Amino acid sequence: MTKVGRLFEDEKIRAVKEATAKVTKEVIEKAAEKALKQGFSVESIAEILSMTEEEVLEIQEKLSMPV
């Protein structure tokens, strides 16, 4: 593969990794929101979704903000 071809390939791989990470984060945050609304504890959500308690608390704060 040429250097230019390799650069394009590397850029595609980086873009896919970034997009995957973004979507994964969004899905985990939505799951945390749903679990909070259903009454799960912050500790349980953090453990189940591999989040920190601080991350879950931030989501909880966003949920209690008036829109």
Side-chain angles (χ1 to χ4, degrees), residues 3-67:
K3 286 183 181 183
V4 172
R6 185 65 193 158
L7 287 173
F8 281 124
E9 188 65 23
D10 289 346
E11 180 63 24
K12 281 194 318 189
I13 291 169
R14 186 189 61 75
V16 168
K17 286 181 180 180
E18 286 178 6
T20 302
K22 181 180 176 185
V23 170
T24 300
K25 182 179 178 187
E26 291 172 359
V27 168
I28 289 172
E29 288 177 355
K30 288 291 182 189
E33 285 179 15
K34 190 170 185 176
L36 284 165
K37 289 176 181 176
Q38 291 182 3
F40 284 80
S41 72
V42 169
E43 297 82 11
S44 294
I45 296 168
E47 182 179 341
I48 292 167
L49 297 176
S50 298
M51 301 175 75
T52 65
E53 290 184 19
E54 291 77 23
E55 291 171 321
V56 178
L57 289 170
E58 286 177 17
I59 293 169
Q60 187 176 43
E61 286 178 23
K62 288 179 190 175
L63 288 175
S64 51
M65 292 179 153
V67 177

